[in-house]
């Protein structure tokens, strides 16, 4: 059993196995017990599962704090908060994708579930590659930081613009090169049916698979922002990956809880923009102050303050919006 204490990317193997076991348990619980069939998830159930996943993510952060010390625990919680917040922005885009393809709520869970499985693998690859690059070329952190500042400024300037699904190059490429059914075929991603011209059986992809491809592509785009953001906080691959995955595991529940309330978060994108600018600028501010890094507790406090201002400011500004819409 000595291999359990062998170092693997800065942490003993048993810590990685413990994390993988927790994630597998949650996936089996979700796939095999709670959501075996496609069904519409209600608001109350969504909020309950969102609270469960958030509590579980925070508890895991507490375990890291106990196992690896205060700094590691705070770094994890900061990464978790940032990733969870960026996931809310991701929800806005996912809602537009489902609306564009007219995906019923009963099938949306299936798309998001397979999307999460893809994210777990994809982000693992990206984080492992990022950790290897940072370890060999420390200056890459400055590139990540500058990229975050640039992304934050860009997001700030385009916060009021909606995502254009129809013009996405990946979607257009798939439609040009693969046969697609005109309408949904239940909850199937791929179907076999007769070709209208030849009468021969042919394999078609459905709009449900197109929606899944778009969700995966959008997450890839968001990962380009979120992963450098956490590397700007810590270069520990274990903290980067676990905070990412625990934040994403609750994305499905968070989507169903917030998709109907998207209009209430009018200023959230502006807050996220400021957070990215702050996280990206920390490394330059620390250099100017002649210190190794901004203390993790200060980073976490400022991040929470910016996000709280954006969320509560949005809720205050849009109070009574439902009544106003109904009156009009």
């Amino acid at each position: 059993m000595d291999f359990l204490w062998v170092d693997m990317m800065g942490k003993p193997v048993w810590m990685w196995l413990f994390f993988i076991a927790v994630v597998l348990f949650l996936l089996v619980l979700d796939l095999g017990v709670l959501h075996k069939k496609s069904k519409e998830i209600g608001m109350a159930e969504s909020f309950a599962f969102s609270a469960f996943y958030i509590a579980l993510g925070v508890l895991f952060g507490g375990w890291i704090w106990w196992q690896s010390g205060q700094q590691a625990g705070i770094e994890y919680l900061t990464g978790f908060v940032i990733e969870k917040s960026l996931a809310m922005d991701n929800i806005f885009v996912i809602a537009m994708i489902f609306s564009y393809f007219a995906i019923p709520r009963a099938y949306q869970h299936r798309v998001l579930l397979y999307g999460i499985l893809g994210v777990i693998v994809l982000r693992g690859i990206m984080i492992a590659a990022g950790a290897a690059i940072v370890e060999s070329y420390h200056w890459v952190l400055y590139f990540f930081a500058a990229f975050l500042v640039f992304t934050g400024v860009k997001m700030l300037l385009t916060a009021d613009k909606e995502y254009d699904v129809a013009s996405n190059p990946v979607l257009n490429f798939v439609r040009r090169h693969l046969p697609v059914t005109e309408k949904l075929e239940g909850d199937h991603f791929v179907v076999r049916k007769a070709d209208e011209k030849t009468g021969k059986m042919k394999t078609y992809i459905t709009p449900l698979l197109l929606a899944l491809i778009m969700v995966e592509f959008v997450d890839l785009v968001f990962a380009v922002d979120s992963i450098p953001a956490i590397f700007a906080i810590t270069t520990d691959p274990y903290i980067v990956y676990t905070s990412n995955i625990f934040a994403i595991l609750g994305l499905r529940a968070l989507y169903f809880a917030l998709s109907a309330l998207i209009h209430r978060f009018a200023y959230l994108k502006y807050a996220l923009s400021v957070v990215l600018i702050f996280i990206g600028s920390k490394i330059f501010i620390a250099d100017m102050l002649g210190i190794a890094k901004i203390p993790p507790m200060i980073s976490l406090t400022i991040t929470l303050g910016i996000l709280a201002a954006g969320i509560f400011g949005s809720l205050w500004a849009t109070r009574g919006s439902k009544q106003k819409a109904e009156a009009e």
Side-chain angles (χ1 to χ4, degrees):
M1 301 295 286
D2 291 343
F3 79 95
L4 293 176
W5 276 263
V6 173
D7 182 88
M8 181 179 174
M9 290 191 290
K11 290 291 186 290
V13 170
W14 73 264
M15 289 185 67
W16 287 99
L17 292 177
F18 174 69
F19 167 68
I20 292 170
V22 172
V23 172
L24 287 176
F25 170 77
L26 292 172
L27 291 175
V28 170
L29 180 67
D30 200 330
L31 274 169
V33 180
L34 300 175
H35 301 110
K36 293 177 66 174
K37 298 180 180 180
S38 297
K39 64 175 184 177
E40 183 172 342
I41 299 178
M43 186 73 73
E45 183 181 356
S46 300
F47 275 113
F49 273 106
S50 293
F52 167 74
Y53 278 113
I54 290 172
L56 195 62
V58 172
L59 282 174
F60 193 84
W63 177 77
I64 288 180
W65 192 316
W66 173 75
Q67 184 66 38
S68 302
Q70 178 183 7
Q71 178 168 326
I74 295 175
E75 288 174 348
Y76 167 90
L77 291 173
T78 305
F80 179 77
V81 168
I82 291 173
E83 183 59 43
K84 202 72 176 177
S85 304
L86 289 172
M88 293 178 68
D89 192 31
N90 202 349
I91 285 172
F92 299 159
V93 179
I94 291 174
M96 293 178 192
I97 292 172
F98 285 153
S99 176
Y100 177 80
F101 290 107
I103 307 297
R105 286 179 66 87
Y107 300 154
Q108 291 175 6
H109 178 270
R110 179 173 170 81
V111 174
L112 291 173
L113 180 58
Y114 282 96
I116 295 300
L117 294 176
V119 166
I120 291 175
V121 175
L122 181 63
R123 295 214 177 186
I125 295 171
M126 294 178 68
I127 289 170
I133 293 172
V134 169
E135 185 176 359
S136 300
Y137 308 99
H138 190 267
W139 58 265
V140 171
L141 286 176
Y142 289 91
F143 172 78
F144 283 170
F147 176 76
L148 288 175
V149 174
F150 170 78
T151 301
V153 172
K154 183 180 177 181
M155 186 186 294
L156 194 63
L157 297 175
T158 60
D160 58 342
K161 295 183 180 179
E162 291 190 350
Y163 184 76
D164 187 1
V165 179
S167 64
N168 185 278
V170 173
L171 175 61
N172 293 328
F173 176 85
V174 173
R175 278 178 163 165
R176 284 197 307 269
H177 293 84
L178 294 175
V180 183
T181 60
E182 294 183 2
K183 59 181 181 179
L184 291 170
E185 300 287 341
D187 63 354
H188 297 292
F189 291 120
V190 178
V191 294
R192 292 276 295 173
K193 58 189 301 186
D195 188 298
E196 294 181 357
K197 296 181 179 179
T198 65
K200 295 181 179 180
M201 295 301 293
K202 187 176 180 179
T203 301
Y204 289 83
I205 67 173
T206 69
L208 199 67
L209 182 56
L210 286 180
L212 175 59
I213 292 171
M214 288 299 298
V215 168
E216 293 285 9
F217 174 76
V218 165
D219 182 76
L220 176 62
V221 173
F222 275 90
V224 173
D225 295 336
S226 64
I227 291 177
I230 300 182
F231 269 117
I233 297 166
T234 177
T235 56
D236 186 331
Y238 188 80
I239 295 176
V240 174
Y241 189 57
T242 55
S243 61
N244 252 263
I245 299 307
F246 267 109
I248 291 169
L249 280 174
L251 180 61
R252 298 186 314 282
L254 190 64
Y255 169 80
F256 288 107
L258 298 180
S259 59
L261 303 173
I262 287 176
H263 64 285
R264 296 296 310 276
F265 296 95
Y267 301 138
L268 179 60
K269 284 192 175 183
Y270 295 99
L272 292 174
S273 303
V274 176
V275 167
L276 289 179
I277 293 171
F278 165 67
I279 295 298
S281 62
K282 284 198 315 166
I283 189 170
F284 301 110
I285 295 173
D287 282 353
M288 287 188 292
L289 295 177
I291 57 178
K293 63 189 301 185
I294 302 295
M297 183 60 78
I298 293 178
S299 297
L300 178 59
T301 302
I302 293 175
T303 300
L304 287 173
I306 295 170
L307 292 173
I311 292 173
F312 289 113
S314 297
L315 295 176
W316 175 262
T318 58
R319 66 192 188 284
S321 58
K322 183 176 180 180
Q323 292 81 349
K324 291 178 182 178
E326 291 176 351
E328 294 175 356

